[in-house]
Amino acid sequence: MNFSGCRHVVSVSLVVLAALTGCDKMGGKSKDTGSGSGSATVVGSGSAPQASTEDILIGHYASLTGAESTFGISTDQGVILALEERNAAGGVKGRKLKLKTLDDASKSTDAANVVQRLISEDHVVALIGEVASGSSLAGGKIAQQYGVPMISPSSTNRKVTEGRDMVSRVCFLDEFQGYVVAKFAKDNKWTKAATLFDQASPYSKGLAESFTTEFTALGGTVATSQAYTAGDVSVSAQLQQIKTSGAEAVFLPGYYTDVGNIIVQARKIGLTVPFLGGDGWDSSKLAQIGGEAIEGSYYSNHYSFDEARPEVAEFVTKYKARWKGEVPDGLAALGYDAARVMFDAMARAPSLGGKELAAAIAATKDFAGVTGKITLDANRDAQKKAVVVQMKGGQPHFVASIGPKGSVDEAPAAGSGSGSATGSAAGSGSATGSATK
Ligand code: PHE
């Protein structure tokens, strides 16, 4: 048994022992969070079925290690906060909630494996996961096959829920996200853009496509479209092409590890134009990897810690108190929301059977989330606002909120009132400014 391979064990129970046994097989990590020591306490004298007093076990599959590790860790911390709050308030249907998280090492093949384990070995009632669309597609296939309801907190590729009635999500889609960034670029008077995407990632590819569609519809031109594969050491050939294309901004819909490395390379070859991204940039590691090179860049996201909404401030305070002062990123907020939507549906569902629980999740309406009001449509997707943030001093800061109808309704686009974003950003250490050093 490989104890050291496991991230950390919050409570000791039979489930934990099962998890630890699995740990060395997979090389993965697991941990349990939940209601205390005994996992199968039976109270009462007879007529009540045993199941009604047992803990409700939820499985979370997440990238606790690997190139996307901050995604999984932040999400898990959000889920745990929600679960602890719900247990403190009495749990669901008089039962305590318990969480088992398995690490998929940021790989979609591992995602499928750990979902299989959570279902057939641990018999979870429902699943939360994943962040990366590729992993949610792989895990969702298994969840659908076994009829176990799953909520993805943050996977934005359309196909994640398509044709899978067990699978829902609490976030918006990349069709919308592509529009948000395209509109932001247009509002800031960049009319000629380039895209650089990860050809092996359904998320990255899909988002590059929707940006191109929307940017073109708004009158912009995509001068060149270049591809890389996650983990590529050098993308200088692609960056050179972009440089010679004369693009005024580069849309780079990747995950933070690649994004940081690529922008550093871009600055080295003298590509000084602003970079724009999607939610995949959202990580405390982005600034560590990208340093000065990413200062001034913009990306779209699901929420920003400095948004002026009372529910955001309340969440940030609670999260920091629980997690050693850490500022919650978008993943943490979405993990928290996904878990709370799950508990709400569990409470409403006539039973926790797969079909009934999935139907209750799908019926979610006007749920007051930290990331906005959550109503699931006929495809079990949410329609919500997005925010645009800018990297400043190594942290993302709120710039604008863009709603599904396309109006910038909470703050002007960067620089409006004092010229274009390029102009205003130049004065505060923009990508353009810092890159020339
Ligand atoms: N939307 C991304 C995907 O589908 C995942 C992601 C969401 C990453 C939010 C960071 C923040 O792959």
Side-chain angles (χ1 to χ4, degrees):
M1 191 182 296
N2 177 10
F3 247 91
S4 63
C6 293
R7 186 179 168 223
H8 100 226
V9 176
V10 178
S11 69
V12 176
S13 71
L14 295 174
V15 181
V16 173
L17 292 176
L20 292 171
T21 326
C23 223
D24 49 8
K25 265 189 271 167
M26 292 292 301
K29 303 187 175 191
S30 79
K31 59 175 194 159
D32 271 40
T33 310
S35 58
S37 52
S39 66
T41 327
V42 181
V43 188
S45 58
S47 59
Q50 279 201 358
S52 68
T53 53
E54 280 174 6
D55 294 340
I56 299 170
L57 184 63
I58 297 170
H60 178 206
Y61 65 113
S63 49
L64 300 178
T65 60
E68 297 146 28
S69 63
T70 67
F71 291 172
I73 292 168
S74 290
T75 305
D76 205 46
Q77 292 181 169
V79 172
I80 289 170
L81 176 61
L83 183 131
E84 289 174 349
E85 285 178 5
R86 185 81 193 206
N87 276 343
V92 167
K93 297 191 190 305
R95 297 162 66 183
K96 294 287 183 196
L97 297 155
K98 198 168 170 71
L99 181 73
K100 178 162 180 185
T101 301
L102 288 186
D103 178 25
D104 60 31
S106 305
K107 292 181 191 140
S108 59
T109 43
D110 286 23
N113 287 337
V114 296
V115 166
Q116 177 76 54
R117 278 175 56 198
L118 287 167
I119 293 173
S120 26
E121 293 175 23
D122 301 308
H123 310 291
V124 297
V125 164
L127 290 155
I128 294 177
E130 227 260 17
V131 172
S133 289
S135 290
S136 289
L137 283 163
K141 186 174 176 200
I142 312 286
Q144 182 67 30
Q145 218 172 303
Y146 285 86
V148 177
M150 163 182 138
I151 300 181
S152 167
S154 42
S155 287
T156 45
N157 186 275
R158 175 174 291 279
K159 293 207 168 67
V160 168
T161 54
E162 221 165 54
R164 292 181 176 167
D165 60 1
M166 286 294 131
V167 183
S168 312
R169 77 180 107 209
V170 295
C171 58
F172 52 66
L173 300 185
D174 284 332
E175 278 79 356
F176 170 60
Q177 190 168 202
Y179 163 77
V180 166
V181 183
K183 181 169 193 307
F184 183 77
K186 182 74 196 328
D187 286 349
N188 287 295
K189 306 195 168 50
W190 296 310
T191 54
K192 198 173 175 189
T195 62
L196 178 57
F197 63 93
D198 176 356
Q199 58 199 342
S201 155
Y203 158 74
S204 190
K205 221 172 154 226
L207 189 49
E209 279 163 17
S210 61
F211 170 83
T212 301
T213 306
E214 300 294 344
F215 192 60
T216 310
L218 289 166
T221 314
V222 174
T224 182
S225 192
Q226 299 288 323
Y228 67 94
T229 303
D232 278 355
V233 177
S234 169
V235 291
S236 59
Q238 296 93 317
L239 291 168
Q240 279 296 349
Q241 295 269 4
I242 291 172
K243 199 176 163 192
T244 49
S245 78
E248 299 158 314
V250 185
F251 182 54
L252 174 58
Y255 295 142
Y256 64 90
T257 303
D258 292 314
V259 167
N261 289 329
I262 288 171
I263 302 183
V264 167
Q265 284 180 46
R267 300 319 182 202
K268 282 200 182 124
I269 67 148
L271 180 62
T272 58
V273 298
F275 272 78
L276 309 172
D279 53 359
W281 285 33
D282 186 21
S283 171
S284 55
K285 290 227 174 113
L286 178 68
Q288 284 170 34
I289 300 167
E292 268 292 292
I294 56 143
E295 281 289 302
S297 300
Y298 298 94
Y299 63 93
S300 56
N301 205 357
H302 304 261
Y303 120 114
S304 180
F305 73 92
D306 57 353
E307 266 180 87
R309 288 191 287 123
E311 55 272 37
V312 170
E314 194 194 320
F315 170 69
V316 171
T317 305
K318 286 194 289 196
Y319 187 91
K320 283 167 95 173
R322 176 62 180 86
W323 299 108
K324 299 194 175 91
E326 249 181 72
V327 175
D329 56 17
L331 287 315
L334 286 166
Y336 183 77
D337 281 352
R340 289 178 66 236
V341 163
M342 175 82 79
F343 308 152
D344 179 71
M346 284 176 161
R348 278 186 286 109
S351 85
L352 298 182
K355 279 218 161 67
E356 289 188 325
L357 179 54
I361 294 169
T364 297
K365 199 169 177 289
D366 292 334
F367 185 89
V370 171
T371 58
K373 201 183 269 181
I374 298 165
T375 296
L376 298 192
D377 65 17
N379 302 318
R380 298 163 310 285
D381 300 328
Q383 262 144 45
K384 291 152 79 188
K385 286 180 189 169
V387 299
V388 175
V389 295
Q390 182 180 33
M391 291 303 294
K392 269 191 203 161
Q395 272 217 330
H397 288 279
F398 178 79
V399 170
S401 171
I402 298 181
K405 300 264 154 58
S407 56
V408 177
D409 55 7
E410 281 182 30
S416 72
S418 64
S420 72
T422 323
S424 72
S428 60
S430 72
T432 316
S434 63
T436 52
K437 301 213 160 86

